[in-house]
Amino acid sequence: MAQQDSKKIFFENLSGAGKAIAVLTSGGDAQGMNAAVRAVVRMGLYVGAKVYFIHEGYQGMVDGGDNIREATWESVSSMLQVGGTVIGSARCKDFRSHEGRLKAAHNLVQRGITNLCVIGGDGSLTGANLFREEWSGLLTELVEQGLIEADAVQKYTALHIVGMVGSIDNDFCGTDMTIGTDSALHRIIEVVDAIMTTAQSHQRTFVLEVMGRHCGYLALVSALACGADWVLIPEMPPEDGWEEKMCEKLSANRAGMKRLNIIIVAEGAIDRNNKPITTDYIKNLVVKNLGFDTRVTILGHVQRGGTPSAFDRILASRMGVEAVLALLETTANTPACVVSLCGNQSVRVPLMECVQTTQEVQKAMDQKRFEEAVKLRGRSFENNLRTYKLLAHRKPESELPVSNFNVAVLNVGAPAAGMNAAVRSAVRVGISEGHKMFAVSDGFEGFYKGQIKEIKWGDVGGWTGQGGSLLGTKRTLPAKHVDKIAEQMRKHNINALLVIGGFEALECLLQLYEARGTFEEFCIPMCMLPATISNNVPGTDLTIGADTALNAIVETCDRIKQSASGTKRRVFIIETMGGYCGYLATVGGLAAGADAAYIYEEPFDIRDLQANVEHLTEKMKTSIQRGLVLRNENSNVNYTTDFIYQLYTEEGRGVFDCRKNVLGHMQQGGAPSPFDRNFGTKISAKAMQWLSQKLVETYRKGRVFANAEDSCCLLGMHARALVFQPVVQLKDHTDFVHRIPKEQWWLKLRPLMKILAKYKTSYDVSDSGQVEHVIHSRPKDSDASVAM
């Protein structure tokens, strides 16, 4: 793509005029595919291209006729929240033959289609690449058979392919997350949470089988997210003699007053000899050796069904737009690529490089090179496996290192889902590192009051699925009580501090850092984990709890829109939380298909409100019957939710009517999403390992003394890596009056939301156009499960 002098390249410079793009879904279905289809159609139409649906996957391409239909803006309305794929998917034997691909080429050429967007797994994408390579030969054959004119070969000289991976298994190398994986994890965790209540009632052991014939990602992450006792996956079979070790662990957990056991098994789980490990085998083993009441639950296709999560809708929308960009920029020499996710960024990777790496994983497993198979899966998979082993398998006291360090952990600010998972992870990793862990109740208020007690491994069992803050949390800042806090730190000999919380937690660490000059007790390693639904903490793209809040918003918006299914032309005005940060309104609006989202960071006036009303009025005159407008609670002091509701009601009179809804604290409650459980667990484990390292580095002459900037840090997700940043350095990046970062990455998503709502706007594509290699380009700390 040609670069301009300005680093910002806007979408107006790219035109799809005269181009025809076709989108199809192939192979297995996955939640979020419809969001991807919607994004491809609307972005394609936005740039002036013709866009076609290919129904029933490759079978529809081979059969042609009504299976290939032109798409309109309205034809993808109301499909964002629908699971599966509304354009159908099928496995096609015909397309595997040369004759089948010849028919498919004929059907595409008849409609002038030379740009294909394929949403599927590695088989579907491999087939697409073969089709692309054969394209010119297929056209020559069609000319020879008299089916197309000779000039068609020159006119449609090349077929351009861009892929998006739709697979709940997350088994495709080259992307951190595939479309559908997060939604499948939602289904699994819903079942596990439900099973845990009945299992506790009867003191039962449950063996759960989840999907994953060749990939254990779902099993591994769900085990992390629910704190399962044992997990079995194909990439890393258990060592010989695992049966006895598993039974010993189950027995020890039951003896430790735990009333249930959860064992999660991937359907493709094997032992070291590549022999399948079945759920029935495990059940019989537990019953025979331990006599525990044991039940088997096979989740099956439940995991594929249901409404897509907020994460999958956003991921699919971003990928769909990026796929259209890739097709517009491609040339005859451009290799087929896959739109992929690395950390928090959309990137493009060579399709066949991804396919080959994915196939190498299976080869490594077949040849019993299991360590290599795990590495080929990617750094995220490795991190998940390492973290699970660290948290689930407690070493005997005799094997634990003796550090003689005391580490305190506390929550600060408003409660956020995922805080408890972070505390559990910190406690268990800290104990594994040989530290004595102390829990502080009620934040710094509890700290200066002396509400500090030692917390053990078993005390945090079952915490991952609990919402809110079990430690208790307050907004109290330490500045007024530093002397009393210092006294408590002396009393309990606290050598390191882990603070889990929102914007107040950042302010707390800054105050403690500044107090180091007066109180040496604060000259210790300190780390903050960002946890708030508002996602308003500088130094991190994402905070623990924001994903759960987004899902609450999206689920409510779905229900609200559904409530108008029998009512013609209605607009809903919905107020979200977030303080002055518009993250929830913007990203929630993108995931829910909102027509507008009003936020503090993007000032608006009465003219903007009027333009939005007129835009909605025009849409309502077509087939669009429902409108959705989100407003961040502090977006404007004068243009309140009531004001906007009354304005829309008055201006839309005779065309549509209005309803309003203030979501309130429901966004802060509920069980944490799989994303927040996993995110909290992994960054907390990383923070504890960092604290351990700092404790060793700063231990001199029988005491810990740390006063450097880099001994008081925030651990956050930044673009494509987890990064420790000194809190002092974050001051310049922070608007303390409005409690938000001065720069926010998600503002780049706002034009995307507007384009998908049929507004004309500028879209910055300066990050696009780079094709990366699958493995070599990935940063060391890239982590899949903290991606958005």
Side-chain angles (χ1 to χ4, degrees), residues 442-670:
D442 298 334
F444 280 102
E445 185 175 312
F447 210 132
Y448 80 78
K449 290 180 179 178
Q451 295 170 211
I452 305 167
K453 65 176 182 179
E454 187 178 354
I455 187 166
K456 300 290 186 73
W457 184 283
D459 296 336
V460 291
W463 278 33
T464 52
Q466 299 291 317
S469 167
L470 293 173
L471 285 184
T473 180
K474 293 283 179 71
R475 296 180 184 270
T476 307
L477 301 180
K480 293 180 181 178
H481 310 285
V482 283
D483 53 340
K484 292 178 182 177
I485 293 170
E487 183 185 330
Q488 291 296 334
M489 293 187 82
R490 274 196 309 276
K491 180 179 176 182
H492 293 91
N493 189 28
I494 301 299
N495 307 119
L497 201 59
L498 180 67
V499 181
I500 304 166
F503 199 89
E504 292 89 352
L506 176 67
E507 294 178 303
C508 289
L509 250 63
L510 284 168
Q511 290 179 2
L512 294 182
Y513 178 83
E514 289 166 5
R516 280 176 168 179
T518 311
F519 298 94
E520 285 194 354
E521 288 81 3
F522 302 123
C523 293
I524 59 172
M526 294 184 279
C527 186
M528 172 192 164
L529 300 182
T532 168
I533 70 165
S534 302
N535 198 35
N536 65 330
V537 179
T540 185
D541 291 350
L542 300 167
T543 58
I544 300 166
D547 184 70
T548 305
L550 274 178
N551 278 288
I553 291 167
V554 169
E555 286 168 18
T556 307
C557 287
D558 286 351
R559 292 184 184 188
I560 286 172
K561 287 197 292 185
Q562 192 180 47
S563 73
S565 59
T567 308
K568 297 293 183 184
R569 296 175 181 161
R570 178 165 287 174
V571 175
F572 296 95
I573 315 293
I574 297 174
E575 181 181 297
T576 65
M577 292 177 81
Y580 285 96
C581 181
Y583 175 80
L584 291 179
T586 295
V587 182
L590 178 60
D595 295 279
Y598 300 118
I599 62 169
Y600 168 78
E601 293 90 342
E602 192 174 280
F604 58 97
D605 57 25
I606 195 68
R607 289 179 293 275
D608 298 309
L609 293 171
Q610 183 63 34
N612 294 150
V613 173
E614 290 171 0
H615 182 78
L616 264 171
T617 303
E618 285 302 310
K619 287 173 73 174
M620 289 289 176
K621 288 175 181 176
T622 63
S623 60
I624 307 293
Q625 299 298 321
R626 284 164 288 178
L628 188 65
V629 175
L630 270 61
R631 178 189 174 273
N632 167 245
E633 59 184 346
N634 288 345
S635 56
N636 190 292
V637 69
N638 294 312
Y639 300 134
T640 62
T641 302
D642 282 336
F643 178 92
I644 292 173
Y645 163 70
Q646 289 165 3
L647 175 70
Y648 272 71
T649 301
E650 181 62 32
E651 296 298 317
R653 195 180 300 279
V655 180
F656 59 80
D657 63 356
C658 280
R659 296 289 185 274
K660 66 176 177 178
N661 196 304
V662 178
L663 300 184
H665 282 76
M666 63 163 290
Q667 296 159 84
Q668 218 162 33

Side-chain angles (χ1 to χ4, degrees), residues 40-343:
V40 169
V41 169
R42 292 196 166 178
M43 192 55 113
L45 292 173
Y46 182 82
V47 296
K50 271 190 175 184
V51 186
Y52 291 86
F53 293 134
I54 299 179
H55 291 265
E56 311 307 333
Y58 286 117
Q59 191 65 56
M61 194 191 295
V62 172
D63 294 342
D66 286 341
N67 289 305
I68 306 176
R69 301 178 208 163
E70 191 170 348
T72 65
W73 193 276
E74 288 74 24
S75 61
V76 291
S77 296
S78 303
M79 65 188 289
L80 193 59
Q81 68 272 21
V82 179
T85 165
V86 298
I87 61 173
S89 181
R91 302 190 190 278
C92 178
K93 288 183 181 178
D94 294 340
F95 193 75
R96 294 176 189 170
S97 68
H98 182 78
E99 291 73 18
R101 292 192 292 277
L102 192 66
K103 287 180 183 177
H106 185 218
N107 288 326
L108 294 187
V109 169
Q110 282 183 315
R111 294 162 178 83
I113 298 169
T114 55
N115 297 280
L116 270 188
C117 185
V118 181
I119 308 167
D122 59 340
S124 303
L125 298 176
T126 304
N129 192 62
L130 175 62
F131 190 39
R132 170 185 163 274
E133 289 172 349
E134 291 182 347
W135 181 256
S136 59
L138 293 170
L139 293 197
T140 303
E141 278 188 59
L142 290 171
V143 171
E144 290 170 357
Q145 293 177 17
L147 294 172
I148 61 173
E149 298 296 327
D151 63 350
V153 177
Q154 295 300 319
K155 189 176 181 182
Y156 306 116
T157 179
L159 179 69
H160 305 297
I161 302 284
V162 172
M164 287 184 275
V165 189
S167 165
I168 68 165
D169 294 337
N170 202 30
D171 57 353
F172 192 81
C173 297
T175 184
D176 286 349
M177 207 73 152
T178 58
I179 297 168
T181 303
D182 186 70
S183 299
L185 285 169
H186 273 258
R187 301 295 93 77
I188 294 167
I189 294 305
E190 285 164 11
V191 171
V192 173
D193 286 351
I195 278 175
M196 288 176 100
T197 54
T198 183
Q200 283 180 323
S201 301
H202 298 277
Q203 295 197 54
R204 281 182 175 148
T205 296
F206 268 89
V207 184
L208 273 81
E209 181 184 287
V210 301
M211 283 185 167
R213 200 175 307 136
H214 305 293
C215 179
Y217 186 88
L218 288 179
L220 181 56
V221 175
S222 55
L224 255 180
C226 72
D229 299 276
W230 204 267
V231 64
L232 293 156
I233 59 173
E235 290 89 346
M236 185 53 70
E239 300 289 343
D240 292 339
W242 64 272
E243 292 93 339
E244 291 77 15
K245 289 180 182 176
M246 185 185 76
C247 289
E248 283 174 14
K249 185 182 180 193
L250 297 180
S251 183
N253 285 347
R254 197 64 69 90
M257 304 304 291
K258 187 175 179 183
R259 292 179 60 84
L260 78 156
N261 303 113
I262 300 286
I263 302 165
I264 296 183
V265 188
E267 62 179 326
I270 52 173
D271 63 16
R272 290 270 156 178
N273 299 309
N274 283 337
K275 182 183 174 184
I277 299 174
T278 66
T279 50
D280 285 336
Y281 175 75
I282 296 168
K283 176 189 173 181
N284 295 335
L285 182 72
V286 173
V287 171
K288 180 183 175 183
N289 290 9
L290 301 175
F292 290 173
D293 186 4
T294 306
R295 298 285 189 275
V296 170
T297 299
I298 297 174
L299 269 62
H301 282 71
V302 165
Q303 296 156 86
R304 283 196 187 280
T307 302
S309 66
F311 183 103
D312 272 328
R313 298 185 198 193
I314 297 158
L315 172 67
S317 297
R318 291 179 68 184
M319 282 186 169
V321 168
E322 186 69 21
V324 173
L325 285 175
L327 287 171
L328 292 182
E329 295 164 12
T330 192
T331 65
N333 300 320
T334 306
C337 73
V338 173
V339 177
S340 129
L341 188 77
C342 179

Side-chain angles (χ1 to χ4, degrees), residues 13 41 83 280 316 675 695 698 770:
N13 301 108
V41 169
D280 285 336
F675 181 98
L695 283 166
T698 57
Q770 300 299 313

Side-chain angles (χ1 to χ4, degrees), residues 398-421:
S398 57
E399 293 181 23
L400 289 173
V402 181
S403 72
N404 295 318
F405 292 125
N406 295 345
V407 181
V409 57
L410 68 159
N411 295 335
V412 174
M419 275 183 164
N420 297 320

Side-chain angles (χ1 to χ4, degrees), residues 423-459:
V423 172
R424 170 186 176 269
S425 178
V427 169
R428 293 196 169 179
V429 173
I431 291 170
S432 297
E433 299 272 325
H435 309 317
K436 189 178 281 189
M437 298 300 296
F438 287 84
V440 183
S441 299
D442 298 334
F444 280 102
E445 185 175 312
F447 210 132
Y448 80 78
K449 290 180 179 178
Q451 295 170 211
I452 305 167
K453 65 176 182 179
E454 187 178 354
I455 187 166
K456 300 290 186 73
W457 184 283
D459 296 336

